[in-house]
């Protein structure tokens, strides 16, 4: 998937579907064996929502892997979500590796995280890649 339809390579690769759409609003008609995002989540507003949607779109033995920096997720007053977010991601069945800034999910699952998306800041400045990124702002819901 690419937002701006900039695919390199063959026009009709076998067993691969190229889609031009927004990852935040695309509603696929099936499930996938593999979903990856290489530095794409840095530019998404509702990062946690996209992660949850990707996990729902996996086959039972599918794999989702993405670059994801928790420092781009902000909570109360603009503070980084930090270790609490990492614990919440892991409790939901996701794997997060802070050293590589990589998140993954093995097998389809319904992800429910205790965060409500408030909006994003496209003026957040560069992230660890040195490229301008988007910070995502959330309110943390009380645990039930």
């Amino acid at each position: 998937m690419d937002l701006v339809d900039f695919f390199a390579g063959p026009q009709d690769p076998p067993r691969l579907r190229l889609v031009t759409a927004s990852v935040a609003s695309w509603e696929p008609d099936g499930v996938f064996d593999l979903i990856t995002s290489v530095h794409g989540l840095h530019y998404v507003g509702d990062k946690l929502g996209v992660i949850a949607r990707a996990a729902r779109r996996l086959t039972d033995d599918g794999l989702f892997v993405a670059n994801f920096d928790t420092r781009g997720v902000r909570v109360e007053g603009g503070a980084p979500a930090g270790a609490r977010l990492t614990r919440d991601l892991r409790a939901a069945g996701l794997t997060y590796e802070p050293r590589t800034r990589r998140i993954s999910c093995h097998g389809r699952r319904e992800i429910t995280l205790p965060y409500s998306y408030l909006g994003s800041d496209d003026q957040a400045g560069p992230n660890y890649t040195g490229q301008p990124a988007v910070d995502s702002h959330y309110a943390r819901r009380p645990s039930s």
Side-chain angles (χ1 to χ4, degrees):
M1 177 181 302
D2 189 38
L3 184 61
V4 294
D5 192 18
F6 189 71
F7 297 107
Q11 290 300 315
D12 294 311
R15 298 182 45 126
L16 181 67
R17 184 171 36 146
L18 302 175
V19 176
T20 302
S22 167
V23 69
S25 60
W26 183 53
E27 289 295 332
D29 57 1
V31 293
F32 301 88
D33 296 317
L34 177 65
I35 300 173
T36 63
S37 175
V38 179
H39 299 296
L41 290 176
H42 306 315
Y43 311 104
V44 171
D46 185 5
K47 294 169 181 37
L48 302 179
V50 168
I51 291 167
R53 289 179 67 224
R56 274 195 309 272
R57 293 301 184 178
L58 291 172
T59 59
D60 289 339
D61 61 348
L63 174 64
F64 164 67
V65 180
N67 296 102
F68 175 65
D69 188 359
T70 58
R71 290 178 293 183
V73 175
R74 305 292 175 144
V75 291
E76 297 82 10
R84 189 170 205 173
L85 173 60
T86 301
R87 285 191 302 272
D88 291 336
L89 293 168
R90 290 177 178 151
L94 298 162
T95 301
Y96 181 67
E97 298 295 333
R99 186 181 60 76
T100 59
R101 295 178 181 96
R102 193 164 298 136
I103 193 163
S104 62
C105 178
H106 292 89
R108 182 187 185 287
R109 64 184 69 239
E110 291 291 328
I111 302 291
T112 303
L113 295 167
Y115 298 89
S116 297
Y117 179 60
L118 300 174
S120 59
D121 176 10
D122 67 354
Q123 301 299 308
N127 66 3
Y128 75 95
T129 68
Q131 297 297 312
V134 171
D135 279 349
S136 303
H137 293 264
Y138 295 86
R140 190 169 196 293
R141 296 187 304 266
S143 300
S144 42

